[in-house]
Amino acid sequence: MSFENIGLSESILRAVEKQGYDTPSPIQKKVIPHILAGKDVLASAQTGTGKTAGFTLPMLQILSQTNQSGKKPVRALVLTPTRELAAQVHESVESYSEFLDLNSTVIFGGVKQMKQVARIKKGIDILIATPGRLLDLVDQKLLFLDKVEFLVLDEADRMLDMGFARDINKILALLPEERQNLLFSATFSSDIKKLAKKFMNNPKLVEAEPENSTVDKIIQTAYRVDTNDKLNVLINMINEGNWKQVLVFTRTKHRANKIAEKLNKANISAAAIHGNKSQGARTKALEDFKTSSIRILVATDIAARGLDIPLLPHVINFELPNVPEDYVHRIGRTGRAGASGEAISLVAHDEVDYVAGIEKLLGEKFDRRIIEGYEPKLEDAPPTKKQNGGGANRQRSKPNPSSRNRDESKFNYKKKKKFLGNK
Ligand code: AMP
C-alpha cells in the first residue's frame, strides 16, 4: 500500500511528499483506512513509528472535506501528556496541513496564556493541548469545546501515569456525544482498556508492533559500572566516540542538572531538561540539541517523553529507570523511523535487578559488558526471586563461565578493553 492509494487527497499527498516520506509506515497503513472510514481507533504504537502522521493525515482529510466558513470553532482536539509533545504534534499538523485551508494552534502551561487566547479567538480548526491549560481556559470561558468532531488522546498511557485521569474525564464531559475518537498508547494496559471503554465507540483495535518490543535496529548494551565511575565512563565514551548528539537519561532532576554541569566542565556542551525547568529553558534546550548547538541533552523520563529527534544515534541510560516500560520509551528516542541507533545502559550494583525486569519485559537479553579499568568493585547479588525466579548463591563479579551457579544476569562475561574500537 502506498500513500497514493491509501485514500488521501492531493493536497495532503503534496505535504507528505514534501516531508520526504516514500511509503506509509506499518502503523499508518493500519490506522489510516479505519480513520478515513470514520471509525474510532484504539492503537498501540511505539514512539517513533510515525503515529503522529497516522492520526493527523486522515483527520486533516476528513476535516478538509467539510470545511467550515466563518468563525471557526475547535473541530479537532489532540491531547498530549507533555508540552514538548504538544509542540511537536503541532509542528507536524502544521506541515501536513500546509496546502489545506485548516488552521491549528497549540496550548500548554508554563507560559503566559495571552497569545494562546488571541490565537483561539481568531478561530482554529485543530487544537493541540495539554490537559491542565486546556481546562484552565475552558474554566475562564475563553475556550469552548462543544463543536469538537475529533478527539485524539496521544500517549494516553503516559497521561494516566502522570495523573491526568480526572482531567481527561472532565474534558470528555465538555465534548459533544457525536464525534470520532482516536487513542494512541505505547501499551494496552488494563487502565488504558478501561479508559477506552468509557468513551470510545466500538473501536478498531490496531497493534503496529508487539507490545513493549524495542525497535529491531537498536543495539542495546549494558555496562556494569560502579556509581562513582559512571561520570568518567560517560565522558570517555562521548570523547572517544566523538559523539555529537547524545541523549542521556537520569532518574532524578537533580542528577540531570549535575551531569549537564559536569559535562560542560569537561568541555562537552550539554543542557538538562526536566519538569523543574521553565518552559523557556526546556524549549531552548531541546532546540539547541536538535540544531546541534549542544551535544548532550540530559533528561528525566517525563520531560523526554514523546520527543522526536530525527536520527538520534545514541541514547545513554546513566541510570536505569525503575519502571521497565520507561526503558522502552527512553530507547525509542533512537532508531526512529527505521534508522539505526545505539542504546547504552550504565548499570550500578543496585540496578542489576532493574536489568532483569527490563529483559523480562523485552523478552530479550542485553549485550552485557564490563570496561577494563572500570571493573565493578562491588559484587552483585543474584537477582531477587521476584525478578528472575530466585537463586541463593552470591558470587564474585568475575568471569566464571564454567560455574554451575553462573547466572546470566551477571555482568561478567564480556570485557571491553576500550570504550570503542574493539566492540
Ligand atoms: P512519530 O512516531 O509520529 O513521532 O514519528 C517519528 C518520525 O517518523 C518523525 O520524524 C516523522 O517525521 C517520521 N515519519 C512519519 N511517517 C513517516 C513515513 N511514512 N516515512 C518516513 N518517516 C516518517
Side-chain angles (χ1 to χ4, degrees), residues 254-395:
H254 176 71
R255 188 72 45 77
N257 284 340
K258 273 268 168 287
I259 292 171
E261 201 180 290
K262 294 260 167 69
L263 289 175
N264 280 313
K265 273 194 188 139
N267 283 327
I268 299 171
S269 53
I273 186 166
H274 55 68
N276 280 2
K277 293 264 178 192
S278 71
Q279 190 52 42
R282 280 164 69 164
T283 308
K284 182 169 186 320
L286 186 56
E287 199 48 42
D288 285 351
F289 185 58
K290 281 188 176 177
T291 56
S292 295
S293 304
I294 54 166
R295 288 166 71 185
I296 318 292
L297 189 65
V298 191
T300 55
D301 288 289
I302 297 269
R305 181 68 189 240
L307 297 186
D308 177 30
I309 302 148
L311 299 178
L312 184 59
H314 304 285
V315 169
I316 299 185
N317 295 302
F318 190 86
E319 294 164 319
L320 280 178
N322 42 14
V323 180
E325 284 79 5
D326 281 344
Y327 176 86
V328 179
H329 298 308
R330 285 180 178 192
I331 73 154
R333 310 296 105 209
T334 185
R336 290 173 84 75
S340 61
E342 184 175 28
I344 288 171
S345 299
L346 305 183
V347 183
H349 175 63
D350 55 358
E351 295 174 303
V352 172
D353 273 357
Y354 296 156
V355 175
I358 293 165
E359 286 183 334
K360 201 167 160 212
L361 177 79
L362 300 178
E364 58 187 87
K365 294 265 177 198
F366 285 117
D367 180 17
R368 291 145 185 270
R369 290 166 182 259
I370 53 173
I371 301 162
E372 204 164 274
Y374 291 98
E375 291 86 353
K377 290 170 196 69
L378 283 166
E379 61 184 51
D380 296 334
T384 60
K385 218 170 184 155
K386 205 169 117 227
Q387 297 281 6
N388 219 10
N393 297 313
R394 245 178 121 75
Q395 291 182 316

Side-chain angles (χ1 to χ4, degrees), residues 3 19-25 28 46-53 88 96 306 308 310 336-337:
F3 275 118
Q19 294 299 307
Y21 306 164
D22 298 334
T23 42
S25 67
Q28 290 165 358
Q46 299 271 344
T47 189
T49 52
K51 66 186 165 66
T52 316
Q88 203 169 277
Y96 301 144
D308 177 30
R336 290 173 84 75

